[in-house]
Amino acid sequence: MTMPNKPSNQCQDIETALIDSEQRFRQMADIAGEWLWEQDPQGYYSYSSVAVHKILGFTPEEVIGKHYTAFLTPQDKASQQIYITQQNAFHNLINHYRHKDGHPVLTESTGLPIINNAGRLLKWRGLDRDITAKKQFQDALLDSEKRLRLVIESALSAIVMMDSYGIITDWNRQAENMFGWSHQEAVGQRLDFLIIPLRFHDAHRQGLQRFLQTGQGEILNRLVEHTARRRDGSEFPVELSISPLKLGNAYIFSGFINDITARKASEQHARETQISLAIAQSEINMARHIQASLLPSAPITTKDFEITGYCLPANQVGGDYFDYFFRTDNQLDMVIADVSGHSFAPALFMVAARSAIRTYSNNIESPAHIIDTLNRFLFKDLDNTDFFITLFYLQYDIARHALRFANAGHPPPLLVNAGQTQCQRLDADGLILGVREQVLFEEKVLPVAQNDVLLVYTDGLTEAENSEGEFFGLERVSDIFTQHSQQTPQDIIDALLSELKHFCQRDTLKDDITLMVFKRN
């Protein structure tokens, strides 16, 4: 009696099972957060899962009845009209939507056409997965990689990366310039074969293995200097730092390398310069000691007179010279000279002049004749070098208490007579040495009374300047000399130097300064 009803019941069961299956599928889609949708053959939504609200901000009711292009951006709306007329399934189609609040949303869409046995399109069924965050992350990652690559390529250092097998994995533009290998040629090659000199290969491989086994490396994570090799085989000094980075179970090593050829050359030049300076300083010290040994080693003090002198060179050695010595038991010779300029060349002329004076003074008695002979002896040497010498020569006759003197363009000495408050300048006509070979030098004689004091000096004293460009001057020298004329010759020199340094406000001076003081007891 019930047999005719069986086919009907089977159809109902199948339909019920199909409905249950679709409900379960839609529930699973909602749970997964994917937007499940159906569209009619013209592309209008006939169904939308609740996930659309989370993805686009619209409720299913706001979506149903709308054309699928209504939610796309204008660009996608134009480009995806083609899918309306097609009946082919699509997969992983990227859609650009506008959220209800206006911000862009990217989805990955998959759709299947539902076609009956007659081949007629009944509807579209598909789902959209929100990939906005994923796409933003991918874009940010790509931007980060681009920026990193830009930094690597624009770095001033050669950047070389190597894996734990010693194979080069990255090689920037500066590495290409430094070593001569292109990026394409270098990547995939062994690092030691490309840039490490052969004699260091074993040490490199042993060091790599030691680090992989123990985690310790002698040259890792610090700045070291080493030797690298170019493509042409030439070697050059580099400064490098190597940092290991563990990725999973493997390591990569990044190296920053700088060519320090120029710096090493500069350091070598600096060392050579220091050695040269040390040698020069030693020679200067030797010259200074030799020059000092040519000057009188001590004052001369007798019952009749006292004389002393002092030389303060602007450099370690100078062109000033003074001397006093007994020609005979009854005669004292005194001389002061100033070679133009200062340092070594004037010092050499000073030595030559001193030797000639000592030689000629034994045979020639007159100061004028001594100067004349000295001028003719030194003229050619002075003329060839554009140097000249000023010189003042004095002879004191102990028995007669008289000064005989001649001048070759030197500043006149100052004489203070006992009880006087003013200085007398001792001068005689005569051209500086080295200007003309034939010169007539005037000679004068002057009596010296008890307690008379004579100051002989070079122009470095009067022409010393202070910070405002003012000269120490002859007037100031005369006043100080007069004020201290009752003191000993050494005290007079000390007073003049003290006032001079106070005036100049410095211990070093631009020109040589020489003082010589004679006083009759």
Side-chain angles (χ1 to χ4, degrees):
M1 297 292 296
T2 59
M3 289 297 292
N5 294 329
K6 283 185 178 181
S8 176
N9 291 338
Q10 288 178 349
C11 290
Q12 290 179 354
D13 291 342
I14 293 173
E15 183 177 354
T16 300
L18 181 61
I19 294 173
D20 290 342
S21 176
E22 288 188 355
Q23 287 179 345
R24 287 195 299 272
F25 175 76
R26 291 172 180 176
Q27 288 176 351
M28 292 297 294
D30 290 340
I31 293 173
E34 296 176 342
W35 173 27
L36 185 67
W37 50 261
E38 289 182 352
Q39 300 170 2
D40 64 18
Q42 287 74 40
Y44 289 90
Y45 286 106
S46 57
Y47 168 77
S48 174
S49 68
V50 296
V52 70
H53 185 265
K54 181 179 179 181
I55 296 175
L56 297 181
F58 296 98
T59 64
E61 291 75 18
E62 293 175 306
V63 171
I64 293 174
K66 299 289 194 313
H67 196 269
Y68 78 94
T69 60
F71 304 98
L72 296 174
T73 61
Q75 181 179 357
D76 274 17
K77 189 178 296 185
S79 64
Q80 293 193 19
Q81 290 289 342
I82 188 174
Y83 293 106
I84 297 176
T85 60
Q86 293 183 354
Q87 296 185 10
N88 298 324
F90 55 86
H91 304 277
N92 302 324
L93 177 67
I94 303 299
N95 289 326
H96 295 78
Y97 291 103
R98 283 290 177 186
H99 193 274
K100 188 175 184 179
D101 63 10
H103 76 264
V105 176
L106 271 73
T107 69
E108 194 174 62
S109 181
T110 298
L112 294 174
I114 306 301
I115 301 173
N116 64 11
N117 293 333
R120 186 171 66 89
L121 178 64
L122 300 178
K123 61 181 176 180
W124 286 88
R125 178 175 292 165
L127 60 84
D128 276 58
R129 181 182 300 107
D130 187 356
I131 61 169
T132 304
K134 176 183 177 182
K135 189 68 167 60
Q136 289 174 346
F137 175 78
Q138 290 175 340
D139 291 344
L141 183 61
L142 288 175
D143 288 342
S144 176
E145 290 179 351
K146 289 179 180 178
R147 287 194 297 270
L148 178 60
R149 174 51 54 183
L150 183 62
V151 169
I152 290 175
E153 292 301 327
S154 61
L156 297 178
S157 301
I159 300 178
V160 179
M161 294 187 180
M162 176 191 80
D163 63 17
S164 55
Y165 297 98
I167 304 300
I168 296 172
T169 59
D170 204 348
W171 185 269
N172 74 341
R173 186 175 294 109
Q174 190 62 25
E176 292 180 335
N177 297 333
M178 185 177 297
F179 297 104
W181 300 94
S182 69
H183 178 275
Q184 184 176 359
E185 292 173 320
V187 172
Q189 299 295 321
R190 290 188 62 88
L191 180 75
D192 51 355
F193 289 168
L194 239 59
I195 67 173
I196 298 178
L198 181 61
R199 62 186 181 278
F200 300 124
H201 283 192
D202 288 343
H204 163 73
R205 295 168 187 170
Q206 291 171 8
L208 177 60
Q209 290 302 317
R210 187 182 307 113
F211 172 79
L212 295 176
Q213 294 172 4
T214 66
Q216 297 179 352
E218 294 181 358
I219 66 171
L220 298 179
N221 296 315
R222 64 190 185 95
L223 201 61
V224 297
E225 293 183 3
H226 217 288
T227 302
R229 185 184 62 186
R230 298 186 182 91
R231 181 172 189 160
D232 61 9
S234 61
E235 296 183 2
F236 63 104
V238 294
E239 186 177 68
L240 71 150
S241 60
I242 304 174
S243 301
L245 177 64
K246 190 171 186 180
L247 297 178
N249 294 324
Y251 280 94
I252 62 170
F253 302 85
S254 58
F256 292 79
I257 309 171
N258 291 295
D259 184 349
I260 58 173
T261 302
R263 192 183 81 189
K264 283 297 184 181
S266 177
E267 291 174 353
Q268 179 64 25
H269 178 70
R271 284 192 294 269
E272 292 174 354
T273 301
Q274 288 176 347
I275 293 173
S276 298
L277 287 175
I279 294 173
Q281 186 62 48
S282 176
E283 292 175 348
I284 288 172
N285 290 335
M286 186 180 299
R288 179 167 57 85
H289 289 305
I290 292 174
Q291 186 177 40
S293 69
L294 299 177
L295 301 176
S297 60
I300 296 178
T301 303
T302 69
K303 64 179 180 179
D304 187 72
F305 68 88
E306 182 179 355
I307 184 171
T308 190
Y310 180 78
C311 184
L312 178 63
N315 292 322
Q316 295 285 356
V317 292
D320 280 8
Y321 157 65
F322 75 93
D323 200 1
Y324 45 80
F325 54 90
F326 285 105
R327 173 189 290 270
T328 66
D329 292 341
N330 198 43
Q331 182 175 305
L332 176 75
D333 280 24
M334 296 169 283
V335 61
I336 191 167
D338 183 1
V339 184
S340 57
H342 35 271
S343 192
F344 281 103
L348 292 174
F349 275 108
M350 184 276 288
V351 172
R354 190 252 188 201
S355 300
I357 289 170
R358 285 285 184 138
T359 300
Y360 296 138
S361 63
N362 293 328
N363 303 317
I364 305 173
E365 295 185 358
S366 167
H369 289 168
I370 292 174
I371 295 178
D372 177 60
T373 303
L374 186 63
N375 180 57
R376 285 186 277 111
F377 174 74
L378 296 174
F379 174 75
K380 290 184 179 180
D381 290 334
L382 291 169
D383 186 55
N384 291 334
T385 57
D386 293 327
F387 283 104
F388 59 83
I389 300 175
T390 67
L391 184 142
F392 204 97
Y393 204 103
L394 308 97
Q395 290 178 340
Y396 176 59
D397 190 323
I398 299 173
R400 296 178 183 180
H401 306 298
L403 274 177
R404 184 186 298 269
F405 56 88
N407 190 9
H410 196 82
L414 302 178
L415 178 67
V416 175
N417 298 120
Q420 299 294 319
T421 58
Q422 290 184 341
C423 294
Q424 176 185 353
R425 299 179 66 190
L426 306 186
D427 201 4
D429 292 336
L431 198 61
I432 59 179
L433 307 183
V435 177
R436 288 206 309 262
E437 190 169 7
Q438 300 296 329
V439 180
L440 180 63
F441 294 98
E442 181 184 13
E443 188 171 279
K444 291 183 179 181
V445 180
L446 184 71
V448 179
Q450 290 183 356
N451 294 321
D452 285 356
V453 186
L454 178 70
L455 171 64
V456 192
Y457 60 92
T458 57
D459 59 8
L461 177 65
T462 56
E463 295 178 1
E465 298 180 20
N466 62 12
S467 58
E468 298 177 356
E470 180 185 1
F471 288 124
F472 194 57
L474 181 61
E475 183 178 353
R476 188 176 280 104
V477 171
S478 299
D479 290 342
I480 298 170
F481 179 45
T482 302
Q483 292 171 12
H484 296 273
S485 61
Q486 301 302 315
Q487 299 179 8
T488 67
Q490 186 60 54
D491 290 338
I492 294 172
I493 290 176
D494 291 343
L496 283 166
L497 292 177
S498 176
E499 291 292 338
L500 177 67
K501 291 180 180 179
H502 178 74
F503 172 80
C504 295
Q505 292 295 307
R506 60 176 182 267
D507 293 329
T508 58
L509 304 171
K510 294 182 179 179
D511 197 5
D512 307 327
I513 294 175
T514 299
L515 306 172
M516 186 166 60
V517 178
F518 170 87
K519 184 173 186 178
R520 182 184 167 193
N521 293 331

